[in-house]
Amino acid sequence: MPVMEPDLDATLLRDWACAVDEGPFSSLAWGERIAFTNPDSLTLLGALAAWTDRVRLVTTVIVPQLHDPVMLAKALATADLLSGGRLTVGIGVGGRHEDYRAAGADPATQTMREMAERVAIMKRVWAGEKTTESLLPVGPAPTQPGGPPLVVGTIGPKTLRSAASWAEGLAGITMDLDVAKQNELFDVARQAWREAGKAQPYLATSFWFALGEPDAARNQVREHLLRYMNWIPAEYVEALAPTTGWAGSEDELLAVLRNFESVGADEIHLIPTSSDPDQLRRAAEVVTEFNR
C-alpha cells in the first residue's frame, strides 16, 4: 500500500486495496510510522479487512513497544476475525526514536528483549489466558488458532536468531537488492530455525520500486526516499538514492524477482514510491508473467 505517499484519501486507498485483491498478488502489506502523515496502521488494517476478500494482510512492520500489548493483541485478533484468518503480523523494534517519543514510549525499550516480552503477552491473550484477575479473558479469539503468524522485520542476523523461538519467519528489506547478501540472511534464518527445532521459516524480503524510463523511475525513488527518510540529513539520502531500491522496466523487474526466487524467497513485498495506480497496474503485469 502507498501509505507513505502524500495526499492520500479513502478512495485512493480503497482502490489500491481492491486492485491488489483482484490479483495476481499474494498479499497486501504496509508499514507503520507515528510521527508522519501515514494512516494509523491498525485503523487501516480494519478497513483493508473489509475492502479485500482474498489476499493475506501483512503488517510490515508494527512496533509492539509503541502499543499496549493487550490492546494490540485485541486489535490484531479483531482484524484476524474480520479478515477470515488472513492476517500475518510483521513486527520489529523500529528505527526511529521520534516515533517512540511521539507515542509516549520509552526509547530504551527499543530492544529485542522488550519486544519478545510483548510478544509473549500477545500470545497469552490469543490463547485465551487471563492476563489479570478479570471475569473473562481478553477477546475476541483470533480466527487462526493461537493467533496470526508472526514474522520478524529485520536486516540483522542477531535479531533474526533471537526471534527464532517465537517467529514463523522473516519479513526483511533489501536496500541494494544484493541477492547473495539476502541469501546469507536467509541461511541465518534456516539455521536458527533448525536449531530451535522448528520447520523451515517463511522467507520474505522487500524493496522500493518504480517502473518507467530509467531516469524518471530513479528520480521517483529518490523523491520518495527524501520524503520518507526525513529523519536522515538530506545529503545522506541523496548519496543513498542512486543505489537504493529498484527502478527500471517490466522485464528488468521480472528478472529481479526470478533472482530472489532462486535463493528461496517465499515472497517479495514491493514497496511503492508513488500512489499512481499505473505503477500498480504495471507491477501486476510483471507478477502475472512471473506466475506463468
Side-chain angles (χ1 to χ4, degrees), residues 168-170 186 189-191 193-194 198-203 266:
E168 300 300 318
L170 167 69
F186 286 172
R190 295 178 183 114
Q191 180 64 29
W193 262 245
R194 281 195 298 269
K198 299 175 69 173
Q200 277 282 103
Y202 161 91
L203 299 173
D266 294 304

Side-chain angles (χ1 to χ4, degrees), residues 152-155 170-174 182 185-186 203-207 269:
V152 61
T154 184
I155 58 173
L170 167 69
I173 186 169
T174 172
Q182 187 65 69
L185 191 63
F186 286 172
L203 299 173
T205 191
S206 61
F207 54 82
H269 300 137

Side-chain angles (χ1 to χ4, degrees), residues 56-133:
R56 287 202 69 81
L57 306 175
V58 186
T59 66
T60 55
V61 295
I62 284 176
V63 179
Q65 293 93 312
L66 304 182
H67 305 268
D68 176 87
V70 172
M71 293 305 296
L72 179 58
K74 185 178 182 75
L76 293 171
T78 300
D80 198 49
L81 175 68
L82 294 175
S83 67
R86 290 185 288 121
L87 178 61
T88 294
V89 181
I91 61 174
V93 298
R96 293 167 294 274
H97 281 179
E98 66 176 10
D99 282 348
Y100 278 73
R101 289 190 286 267
D106 184 357
T109 65
Q110 191 182 22
T111 66
M112 281 299 297
R113 178 178 177 179
E114 292 281 352
M115 186 168 71
E117 290 177 355
R118 286 159 175 77
V119 165
I121 293 171
M122 290 163 59
K123 289 196 169 190
R124 286 181 62 198
V125 171
W126 292 336
E129 297 180 22
K130 292 182 182 181
T131 56
T132 65
E133 293 301 317

Side-chain angles (χ1 to χ4, degrees), residues 150-225:
L150 300 175
V151 292
V152 61
T154 184
I155 58 173
K158 183 177 179 180
T159 300
L160 188 54
R161 291 188 187 98
S162 69
S165 63
W166 53 260
E168 300 300 318
L170 167 69
I173 186 169
T174 172
M175 303 285 282
D176 56 7
L177 280 76
D178 186 325
V179 175
K181 186 166 63 177
Q182 187 65 69
N183 191 42
E184 290 176 3
L185 191 63
F186 286 172
D187 281 342
V188 169
R190 295 178 183 114
Q191 180 64 29
W193 262 245
R194 281 195 298 269
E195 291 176 357
K198 299 175 69 173
Q200 277 282 103
Y202 161 91
L203 299 173
T205 191
S206 61
F207 54 82
W208 288 285
F209 83 97
L211 282 157
E213 294 298 320
D215 290 344
R218 177 48 61 185
N219 190 58
Q220 178 177 304
V221 173
R222 170 185 167 272
E223 291 181 348
H224 174 86
L225 294 176

